[in-house]
Amino acid sequence: MAQEALHIEGRVSVFQDERPADDAAVWIAGSLVTQTEDGVFSHLVAPAPFYQVRLSGEGFYPTVQTFAHTELMDQQCQCLRLPEIELVAKREGRVEMFFAGDAMAGRRYSEPVWGERQLVDPADPYPDLMRLLE
């Protein structure tokens, strides 16, 4: 017996930009999804172990993100809730880099060991992380 379809919902925004994300295409599990003016979307999907979300649009760097069913399932609504996904607008001089696995600017920078100095303020990490990446 097949399981019932689930609602998957989320929101798309644009990183460091006032530009709306509603002109970007959102694909979930191979289906084009309609989003509202403020980037919110909801779609029916068949239950699966993983869900792939692809986003693209003129003037944006394309992105593909994959989520496990277990990390998205919200037992209260019996739906799948995606974290907010940020698109990055293309700009002259801007380069987008992605890392996978254990690449992170995390604990070692905010909680240094062996007498190293703290490079990231955990209360407001964004400015320090941007400085490190520059």
Side-chain angles (χ1 to χ4, degrees):
M1 182 164 95
Q3 288 184 303
E4 284 186 43
L6 294 167
H7 273 97
I8 187 167
E9 51 194 53
R11 183 174 184 276
V12 178
S13 63
V14 181
F15 176 73
Q16 288 188 329
D17 209 320
E18 295 299 317
R19 178 179 174 180
D22 63 341
D23 59 341
V26 179
W27 296 80
I28 300 176
S31 296
L32 183 61
V33 176
T34 303
Q35 57 176 315
T36 65
E37 200 172 283
D38 59 350
V40 175
F41 58 86
S42 179
H43 188 67
L44 285 175
V45 293
F50 299 96
Y51 304 93
Q52 185 180 78
V53 180
R54 289 188 303 122
L55 296 104
S56 61
E58 190 171 327
F60 295 111
Y61 289 102
T63 183
V64 177
Q65 297 186 22
T66 304
F67 300 90
H69 178 90
T70 53
E71 67 182 310
L72 300 180
M73 189 64 195
D74 183 329
Q75 295 300 329
Q76 290 183 336
C77 67
Q78 289 299 301
C79 66
L80 303 167
R81 291 192 193 271
L82 287 160
E84 184 169 332
I85 299 174
E86 288 184 321
L87 281 171
V88 177
K90 292 181 180 178
R91 290 187 189 160
E92 189 171 326
R94 178 179 272 174
V95 177
E96 187 176 45
M97 297 185 298
F98 288 92
F99 301 91
D102 290 339
M104 60 185 234
R107 287 181 301 261
R108 179 157 182 217
Y109 296 103
S110 60
E111 300 169 18
V113 293
W114 306 302
E116 297 170 330
R117 68 185 181 98
Q118 184 181 41
L119 299 175
V120 174
D121 177 3
D124 187 16
Y126 182 75
D128 293 333
L129 291 173
M130 292 303 291
R131 184 179 44 76
L132 284 170
L133 292 173
E134 284 177 354

